[in-house]
Each structure stands twice: as structure tokens, then as C-alpha cells.
Amino acid sequence: MAPASPKPSADAPLHGKPDSGWRRSVYTVIFEADTAGGRRFDQALIWTILLSVLVVMADSVEAIVNRYGHILQVLEWIFTVVFTVEYVGRLLSVQRPLRYATSFFGIVDLLAILPSYLSLFVPGLHFLTGVRVLRLLRIFRVFKLPRFMDEYLMLGRALKASFRKIMVFLSVVSLIVLSMGTVMYVVEGPKHGFTSIPTAIYWAISTITTVGFGDITPQTPLGRLIASLMMLLGWGCWPCPPAFLRSKCRWRTPIMRAS
């Protein structure tokens, strides 16, 4: 029996595998998860991604920055260099580098390193604010993780298969919050905090999702009745998505029947 061929990564069909040479060797390590080198590379990269995300999170805490800011900066550049080498290695080891660079994971790989380099060239008085925004973009490194786990791919396939049903459900909820928000704007009015229809729609969204921030609350008896119905409707919506996604579409519209 012939040995099983190495398992390629999820984005392998996008870029093409080299036939021979050092590029094929690099490709095997970087993209094929079932080889010994590929497994070690993936495990090391997963830990690097997680640690880099922790550094980004720590960099947003002022007390940690004041005490360990220099260490965090050094670690950030170490991670940036590592991800840069990985990104260049991926581009050099594939047959269609441009196609890989414009793919989802290619863009994520670029976002993982680009903010660090752009932060060196942000000019002007708003330098610190610009760097802070660029640092926030580094959190996209966490999106590099799904390529290493089959469960993420299974979830992606399930969402893709249920996309139409999800869109139908979200469209129904959108119609509800749009109509009920408009009604509440008419009933309560600006004097009770419903200063515009978009503001009332914001209230409807926070109410139907049972979040209820409390910054806008109805004051009239009719408004409270509508709010009560919205909250009950929100609880009633919870079982709908799982049941809807499990169900098979057995209905047809009159147009579909006619065709």
C-alpha cells in the first residue's frame, strides 16, 4: 500500500505546489501539516501567534506599558520579524505568489506585519494616536490560527452551507427592529430620548437582543408595552436559528411552484 500523501493546508489550492528544488522543500514545511517538519512549524507558529496577541493586549494596559514598555517593544519587533520571514517564505515557495497574497490568509499575513512598519513612518502631531490605531490592527494575527485547525474549516463550511438561511433570519430580525424602532420614535418622541429613527432602531436592537443598556428607556404606558413585547420576542428568537438551520426547506413560493 502506498503511503498517504501529505495533507495540504486549506489555502493550498490557491497558489500551487512547486515541482522540485528548495521551493518545494520550503513549501512542504510551511504548507503541509502532515509532515514532521510541517507539524513542528505549525505548532511553533501557533504559539508565536498567541504570544504576539498577548503582547498586543498587554500593550494596551497603561500600567504594564509604563513598567515594561521597552520589553514589549522589543518583543513586538521580534514577532514582526518572525512573521515577516514567514510571509516572505510563503510568497517565495508558491507558484502563484500574487494569488496567495490577495487571498484571505495572504491579506491576514500582511496585516500581521504591516502596522509595525507603518508605525515607523506616521508623521505629525498625531503620531501617538496613529501608532495606537496601527497597534490595534495587529490583533488580526489571531486570524492566522484557523488555517492550522480542521475544526475552524468545518465551521466555515457549515456557515457557508447555511448562508442563505442565516441571511433570511437576519433579514426578518432587521425588519422587526426597523419597524418597531420607527413605532417607538412615533410613540415616545425626542422628549423621552428617542431623538431620531436611527436612535430608536438602536434601542430596538439592544432590546430584542435582551442586552438592554438602559441609556434609552420608554416612559409612556404604550411605549413600555411595546418594549415588553420586544423583550419577549427577543427571548422567543433564541431557539429559532438552530431549529431553522436544522430544518430542510420543504416550502416553495408560488413562483417556484409555477416554474
Side-chain angles (χ1 to χ4, degrees):
M1 180 180 295
S5 58
K7 179 182 177 181
S9 66
D11 46 356
L14 289 173
H15 41 67
K17 181 177 180 178
D19 297 327
S20 61
W22 64 269
R23 294 176 61 201
R24 183 182 179 91
S25 301
V26 175
Y27 181 97
T28 302
V29 173
I30 293 180
F31 287 101
E32 293 183 346
D34 280 355
T35 62
R39 283 193 297 270
R40 288 193 294 267
F41 177 83
D42 287 354
Q43 292 169 1
L45 197 56
I46 287 172
W47 282 109
T48 305
I49 293 168
L50 292 175
L51 290 174
S52 69
V53 171
L54 289 177
V55 169
V56 173
M57 295 171 63
D59 196 38
S60 65
V61 181
E62 184 176 0
I64 297 178
V65 173
N66 292 337
R67 189 168 184 179
Y68 303 106
H70 179 68
I71 298 176
L72 292 177
Q73 187 176 10
V74 172
L75 289 174
E76 172 58 37
W77 277 106
I78 291 175
F79 291 132
T80 299
V81 171
V82 171
F83 291 134
T84 302
V85 173
E86 178 219 355
Y87 180 67
V88 173
R90 291 182 183 275
L91 291 178
L92 293 178
S93 63
V94 298
Q95 291 182 334
R96 295 185 290 273
L98 181 59
R99 190 170 183 182
Y100 174 76
T102 55
S103 67
F104 171 78
F105 285 120
I107 294 173
V108 169
D109 290 341
L110 183 61
L111 287 175
I113 61 175
L114 190 60
S116 297
Y117 295 113
L118 289 179
S119 65
L120 298 174
F121 305 102
V122 177
L125 297 176
H126 300 288
F127 176 80
L128 295 178
T129 304
V131 171
R132 187 173 302 166
V133 172
L134 294 173
R135 284 176 177 173
L136 292 177
L137 293 178
R138 293 169 188 160
I139 207 70
F140 278 95
R141 290 171 181 171
V142 76
F143 289 102
K144 292 163 65 69
L145 287 174
R147 61 152 61 96
F148 306 111
M149 301 181 184
D150 292 337
E151 288 76 9
Y152 282 114
L153 303 178
M154 292 173 60
L155 178 60
R157 288 192 291 268
L159 291 175
K160 184 177 180 180
S162 304
F163 178 78
R164 293 183 63 183
K165 292 183 177 181
I166 294 173
M167 290 297 102
V168 169
F169 177 77
L170 291 179
S171 65
V172 171
V173 174
S174 299
L175 290 174
I176 292 174
V177 298
L178 178 62
S179 58
M180 298 303 288
T182 304
V183 170
M184 285 298 289
Y185 170 73
V186 174
V187 171
E188 293 291 328
K191 65 179 181 180
H192 293 151
F194 295 81
T195 55
S196 64
I197 291 180
T199 301
I201 292 174
Y202 158 78
W203 168 86
I205 293 173
S206 63
T207 302
I208 199 171
T209 55
T210 68
V211 174
F213 291 112
D215 51 343
I216 305 175
T217 55
Q219 303 297 322
T220 65
L222 180 57
R224 290 176 177 175
L225 175 63
I226 295 174
S228 300
L229 294 176
M230 286 284 292
M231 286 182 275
L232 292 175
L233 183 61
W235 278 104
C237 286
W238 281 106
C240 291
F244 185 45
L245 294 177
R246 286 195 303 267
S247 66
K248 292 184 178 180
C249 185
R250 297 180 178 177
W251 53 270
R252 292 188 176 184
T253 62
I255 296 178
M256 294 173 64
R257 293 195 193 101
S259 59

